[in-house]
Amino acid sequence: MRKILLHGSLGVAVLLSLFPFYWTVVMATNTTQDVFRNPPKLTIGPHLADNVQKVLQSVDLIAPIVNTVLVAIATTVLVLFFDSLAAFAFAKYDFPGRKVLFGLLLLMFMVPTQLALIPQFVIMAELGWVGTLKALVVPAAANAFGIFWMRQYISSAVPDEMLDAAKLDGAGFFRIYRSVILPVIRPGLAFLGIFTFIAAWNDYVWPLIVLLDPNKVTLQVALSQLNVGLKQDYSVLMAGALIGVLPLVVMFVLFARNFIGDAVKGAVK
Amino acid sequence: MTARARALRSAWPQYLAISPFYLLFTVFLLGPTLFSLYLAFHRWDGIGEMQYVGLDQFRFLIEDQTFWLSVRNTLIIWVLSTVPMLLLALVLAALLNSTKRLVGFYRVALFIPNITSVVAVAIVFGALFATNSGLVNITLQGIGLPGVPWLTDPWAIKIVIAMLMTWQWTGYNALIYLAGMQSIPSELYEAAKIDGAGPVRAFFSVTVPMLRPIILFTVVVSTITGMQSFTEPQVLFGNNSAVNANSGGPGQAGLTMVLYFYRTAFGQNDYGYGAAIAWAVFLIVMVFTILNWRLVQRRAD
């Protein structure tokens, strides 16, 4: 009896958690009239292809998807490389200024992003990067969270003896990074990679500001424009929302196992 | 060569390793943050000359009714979202902690809202809460209750935004609490049992005190993120031409501090005043973070 109550309550929570997705699918696969009749239709219908076609007719979503994938991949690769390299230096080496530099990083980690937004936009205008994907990737490559998190990871995952052995063999910093550190920190890189990819995929404020040209936006900005343009045709709108959400949810479910554990760990330590 | 110079020289690989980050960091984050402080004391539209105005913009800010409206809106939305979010998360975590079956599935299902983009969620919530045809009102009317003008009433607007945030963050916080609960030594519960405590009593006198640092963490994070809400009202009411763009909906009821900042800086190209607003927001977030920190810590003592 207690078990039934327990799983019943958890089931309700899961239902509330997932219902908006189900309902998005319901709307995206039906016509708007079907969903808005009373009582509303709550089962999946046959009109997905129609609705997707209509979305693509009203807003070009293909280019934004390509832009978003490019930005997310480029950002992820740069963050993984720069952050793991810097984190390795901070975790395993003592050099003059190390504490001050790391302290500065932690301090900026706490400063809210909107403080820097206006000057960032001015800099992009000066560089001629407004409306380009460079404006999204280059600043995002400096990720303080990533260095902080990777430093913790390297400190606990790589024993000092391993480095000492490599040093005795005469290997320098970059050689050790490549042949000792990289293979060991793969699980850490996987988490930071998925985390960075999700953040880049979902980023909205900065792309909204810096990608003025409506033809060169990312997916989130395109979706918000869809919301403005298609306010009445909900089925088509939901087909668009589905396109924006589905790839990430599928990726997440595939990798979720370790990701959630790592995402939660930082808070508990 | 002095010892220090030798140390500097031999550490060149480390400096090289951290230099890409600090280069980008200085150009795109540290520099802009400092420049925005300079900007807050100037009038500037981004094109013409900058004009030094001293504290004028901050004086204007203090008398700016719209700014204070946005502060009030933000605080109300933040309370409406954070309180149910953290309480629900605690209950969910306690439920999850008392079973081993299906926990993997529950964890994934409860975490998915958190990885979903706020833009998509705002679009879906906008459709769910539509006054005439939204599923929520149809359901309410179906069971004989009156529909609610969710997207036009000043309080209902705030509730919808708060629900959106609660939906996105409850599962995340629950999983953090769950991880914390699992690291509580079981001897403590056995001792409580011997002292005659039931499960409810054990929850309040063992679980909650032991979770204290984690609860503190979630309160601080929710304060920082909740006080900076922007995308939720911007997407929900971005096209509200009845008032004006980025107004936060009818009656500006969803105009949050950061949305007001965005509208001033990038909607009206008032960069100087925008920078002043950004710094005011920063100060307010800091004050509330510290207040919360103190409050949660003291309550546990």
Side-chain angles (χ1 to χ4, degrees):
Chain A
M1 184 59 205
R2 235 186 108 241
K3 288 255 161 230
I4 296 173
L5 210 67
L6 176 77
H7 287 281
S9 332
L10 285 170
V12 170
V14 168
L15 218 61
L16 286 172
S17 215
L18 298 183
F19 181 75
F21 295 102
Y22 176 71
W23 192 65
T24 306
V25 175
V26 167
M27 290 198 96
T29 54
N30 284 295
T31 61
T32 302
Q33 294 96 302
D34 273 346
V35 189
F36 283 152
R37 65 176 193 219
N38 202 348
K41 199 174 167 215
L42 283 175
T43 50
I44 290 164
H47 296 282
L48 181 65
D50 290 349
N51 290 327
V52 169
Q53 206 176 7
K54 273 189 214 155
V55 174
L56 297 179
Q57 274 163 8
S58 50
V59 175
D60 176 18
L61 279 186
I62 304 297
I65 288 173
V66 172
N67 286 344
T68 306
V69 170
L70 284 178
V71 167
I73 289 177
T75 306
T76 305
V77 169
L78 288 178
V79 164
L80 288 184
F81 180 60
F82 289 161
D83 283 8
S84 60
L85 207 55
F88 172 43
F90 277 124
K92 294 294 180 187
Y93 287 83
D94 199 12
F95 50 89
R98 181 179 80 138
K99 281 201 176 124
V100 177
L101 285 167
F102 196 70
L104 188 70
L105 178 150
L106 287 185
L107 197 70
M108 285 309 284
F109 190 24
M110 290 176 228
V111 173
T113 46
Q114 72 263 13
L115 276 188
L117 279 180
I118 297 172
Q120 276 174 349
F121 180 75
V122 175
I123 290 171
M124 292 304 161
E126 290 288 328
L127 290 171
W129 288 6
V130 172
T132 70
L133 299 183
K134 266 184 293 189
L136 302 187
V137 175
V138 176
N143 183 333
F145 164 80
I147 295 188
F148 178 73
W149 194 85
M150 263 335 269
R151 193 195 75 128
Q152 301 288 95
Y153 190 87
I154 292 174
S155 297
S156 63
V158 185
D160 285 337
E161 294 78 42
M162 226 166 146
L163 298 181
D164 293 339
K167 277 180 198 160
L168 275 181
D169 288 345
F173 178 85
F174 292 101
R175 178 76 193 283
I176 299 177
Y177 169 77
R178 217 183 71 88
S179 51
V180 179
I181 299 295
L182 271 188
V184 179
I185 62 171
R186 248 191 230 144
L189 289 176
F191 168 74
L192 184 59
I194 299 168
F195 180 88
T196 310
F197 192 91
I198 291 176
W201 182 280
N202 286 338
D203 195 14
Y204 177 63
V205 184
W206 182 235
L208 181 71
I209 290 168
V210 86
L211 299 176
L212 295 173
D213 184 351
N215 296 318
K216 285 178 111 177
V217 295
T218 52
L219 188 55
Q220 303 307 327
V221 181
L223 283 181
S224 73
Q225 288 167 355
L226 201 65
N227 191 35
V228 174
L230 279 173
K231 203 74 189 183
Q232 293 316 311
D233 205 343
Y234 279 109
S235 280
V236 179
L237 188 58
M238 289 302 123
L242 201 59
I243 295 172
V245 167
L246 209 56
L248 207 56
V249 171
V250 169
M251 186 190 88
F252 174 76
V253 171
L254 289 177
F255 293 108
R257 250 194 124 79
N258 299 315
F259 180 84
I260 296 176
D262 286 331
V264 165
K265 217 186 291 165
V268 181
K269 264 189 180 161
Chain B
M1 200 166 26
T2 63
R4 188 172 166 80
R6 239 193 325 271
L8 277 172
R9 181 181 249 184
S10 69
W12 70 266
Q14 285 79 274
Y15 290 120
L16 188 62
I18 64 170
S19 58
F21 172 80
Y22 281 93
L23 194 74
L24 294 170
F25 171 79
T26 309
V27 175
F28 294 112
L29 205 62
L30 184 62
T33 303
L34 296 176
F35 186 66
S36 86
L37 188 61
Y38 176 81
L39 206 53
F41 295 97
H42 292 75
R43 278 207 80 75
W44 194 40
D45 61 1
I47 303 162
E49 287 281 298
M50 267 188 227
Q51 188 195 343
Y52 179 75
V53 291
L55 286 169
D56 274 7
Q57 283 176 145
F58 290 99
R59 253 177 243 130
F60 183 75
L61 188 77
I62 288 170
E63 286 165 16
D64 182 354
Q65 296 297 319
T66 314
F67 174 70
W68 290 111
L69 176 72
S70 78
V71 174
R72 232 191 90 208
N73 289 343
T74 309
L75 291 179
I76 293 171
I77 293 167
W78 168 64
V79 171
L80 285 178
S81 61
T82 308
V83 175
M85 179 199 299
L86 296 184
L87 287 179
L88 275 172
L90 208 52
V91 174
L92 270 179
L95 292 176
L96 283 168
N97 198 29
S98 58
T99 178
K100 282 213 162 60
R101 289 190 63 191
L102 292 170
V103 168
F105 164 74
Y106 290 138
R107 272 161 46 113
V108 174
L110 294 173
F111 204 86
I112 282 181
N114 195 249
I115 60 132
T116 313
S117 85
V118 185
V119 175
V121 180
I123 291 173
V124 174
F125 270 58
L128 267 172
F129 287 95
T131 302
N132 292 325
S133 42
L135 191 62
V136 173
N137 271 354
I138 290 181
T139 310
L140 284 177
Q141 283 153 1
I143 55 174
L145 291 168
V148 176
W150 294 108
L151 303 178
T152 46
D153 177 77
W155 272 95
I157 285 173
K158 294 184 181 71
I159 292 172
V160 170
I161 297 172
M163 280 201 272
L164 202 161
M165 291 158 75
T166 306
W167 180 77
Q168 273 213 307
W169 288 95
T170 299
Y172 169 84
N173 286 305
L175 295 180
I176 287 181
Y177 290 152
L178 175 65
M181 284 175 188
Q182 285 169 344
S183 64
I184 297 174
S186 56
E187 294 87 57
L188 289 178
Y189 289 105
E190 280 153 26
K193 211 173 201 175
I194 292 168
D195 289 347
V200 176
R201 183 69 206 275
F203 179 77
F204 284 106
S205 43
V206 177
T207 312
V208 174
M210 288 301 286
L211 281 183
R212 182 178 132 186
I214 297 166
I215 292 176
L216 184 64
F217 171 86
T218 56
V219 169
V220 168
V221 171
S222 311
T223 307
I224 294 171
T225 52
M227 301 272 276
Q228 296 182 60
S229 55
F230 161 82
T231 308
E232 296 89 350
Q234 204 272 343
V235 175
L236 264 176
F237 302 107
N239 65 329
N240 192 274
S241 48
V243 191
N244 54 1
N246 301 312
S247 64
Q252 310 196 46
L255 184 70
T256 57
M257 297 189 289
V258 177
L259 182 53
Y260 185 50
F261 155 77
Y262 173 80
R263 188 175 91 187
T264 307
F266 299 103
Q268 297 156 356
N269 290 334
D270 194 345
Y271 288 170
Y273 192 43
I277 296 172
W279 277 95
V281 172
F282 173 58
L283 282 179
I284 293 173
V285 174
M286 282 276 284
V287 167
F288 272 89
T289 308
I290 293 167
L291 267 176
N292 269 311
W293 188 296
R294 288 256 164 114
L295 210 71
V296 178
Q297 263 193 330
R298 189 172 318 146
R299 193 178 298 156
D301 282 339

